[in-house]
Amino acid sequence: MRIALGSLNALLGLAYLLVGFMTLSDLKRGWKTMGFSHFGAAWVGLAFTCGPHHLIHATHLLMENRQAGGLEVLAVGVGVPPGLVFVGLRIEALLGGRGDRYIANSPAWLQAIAPAAAVYITVLAASLMRLGFVGIPDKVIPNVVLVAMYLWVAYYLIRTQLRNRMSLQGWSLSGVSLSIVFPTCALMHVLYATYAATGLYNDVDWHGLIIDWISVPAVVYFLWVVRGLYRQSLKDWNRKIYDSVPDRAAAVAA
């Protein structure tokens, strides 16, 4: 479990950093024509804080032989596939490809996500109740805050996908994968904090604590951005593209 969890965290950490650098490249390329992007800046802040968090955890597991919790292995394993889908699409876009896929209607695999998520959360909740708590250490308080913020972000991302489905009669694969990433990230932090509360994890040291506290304003900024985009009170690159194309279908495609 230690090697599995350490490897998965290393993969996630590198994926976040890769997305961060790709987003910086996007911002640099589009700055002159599109101006500043709040979503891009917020995503960079999130990537360069989440990435180090996972890499630090991976270092503790793989190089310092610290303990691994079985439930966190499950949570990270569930969160990796949608994350890799999103990263793969971003790499494709950077190389000049489509960078997204349109999912027509609601195929069976997409309809299965909600009941599968309900079963998954029920199993995790039942398993967590069997753990013995010794109290929440001060060092994991930022993780508790991040759980609430990630779930709040997920709410707006999912609502956006549901609203777009009504007008597009379909879904964005990139949007769906990102909507899954944030709830799974929240569960990862729930389990990380829980294992710290049970005394299994004691690997929260000063550099990890600094990264976690920096993550809090980063995700608050990201939440402000996605909320503004959802409420259409924030004009970012997507709105500028939409306003610049008279034809609605062409604007959606852009």
Side-chain angles (χ1 to χ4, degrees):
M1 287 196 300
R2 180 179 59 82
I3 295 175
L5 184 58
S7 300
L8 288 171
N9 270 280
L11 180 62
L12 274 178
L14 293 174
Y16 271 116
L17 294 181
L18 179 59
V19 169
F21 283 115
M22 288 191 295
T23 306
L24 283 175
S25 176
D26 287 337
L27 289 173
K28 180 180 179 181
R29 185 170 59 251
W31 187 286
K32 291 184 179 179
T33 56
M34 303 295 293
F36 178 75
S37 168
H38 279 289
F39 185 85
W43 188 242
V44 168
L46 203 64
F48 287 141
T49 51
C50 291
H53 168 88
H54 286 285
L55 289 177
I56 289 172
H57 195 25
T59 300
H60 289 156
L61 290 162
L62 297 176
M63 297 184 179
E64 300 177 8
N65 295 324
R66 299 196 182 181
Q67 296 186 70
L71 292 177
E72 193 185 5
V73 177
L74 173 63
V76 177
V78 169
V80 165
L84 292 182
V85 170
F86 181 79
V87 173
L89 292 172
R90 295 307 307 137
I91 293 175
E92 182 185 52
L94 186 66
L95 297 176
R98 293 164 60 186
D100 199 0
R101 296 293 185 277
Y102 173 73
I103 306 172
N105 300 317
S106 296
W109 66 266
L110 190 58
Q111 295 181 43
I113 290 179
V119 173
Y120 171 56
I121 293 172
T122 301
V123 170
L124 282 184
S127 301
L128 287 174
M129 292 176 64
R130 300 176 60 183
L131 299 176
F133 292 88
V134 296
I136 299 178
D138 293 340
K139 290 183 177 181
V140 299
I141 289 177
N143 283 274
V144 176
V145 176
L146 289 173
V147 170
M149 294 296 101
Y150 283 142
L151 290 176
W152 204 347
V153 169
Y155 167 79
Y156 285 114
L157 293 177
I158 294 171
R159 287 289 300 269
T160 298
Q161 289 303 306
L162 292 173
R163 183 174 63 185
N164 289 345
R165 189 225 178 264
M166 298 299 294
S167 60
L168 301 179
Q169 294 301 305
W171 310 81
S172 158
L173 179 58
S174 178
V176 169
S177 62
L178 195 60
S179 298
I180 298 174
V181 164
F182 277 88
T184 56
C185 283
L187 290 176
M188 291 179 206
H189 283 278
V190 166
L191 292 168
Y192 184 84
T194 300
Y195 279 125
T198 62
L200 180 66
Y201 287 176
N202 58 0
D203 60 350
V204 184
D205 41 38
W206 66 269
H207 50 279
L209 186 61
I210 290 174
I211 291 296
D212 289 345
W213 274 116
I214 295 175
S215 298
V216 172
V219 74
V220 168
Y221 178 38
F222 193 86
L223 171 61
W224 176 79
V225 171
V226 296
R227 181 178 182 271
L229 293 175
Y230 173 76
R231 295 168 61 90
Q232 298 183 353
S233 60
L234 180 64
K235 189 172 183 179
D236 209 351
W237 283 7
N238 60 328
R239 193 69 211 176
K240 292 177 182 177
I241 292 175
Y242 188 91
D243 291 343
S244 66
V245 182
D247 179 57
R248 177 176 171 79
V252 170

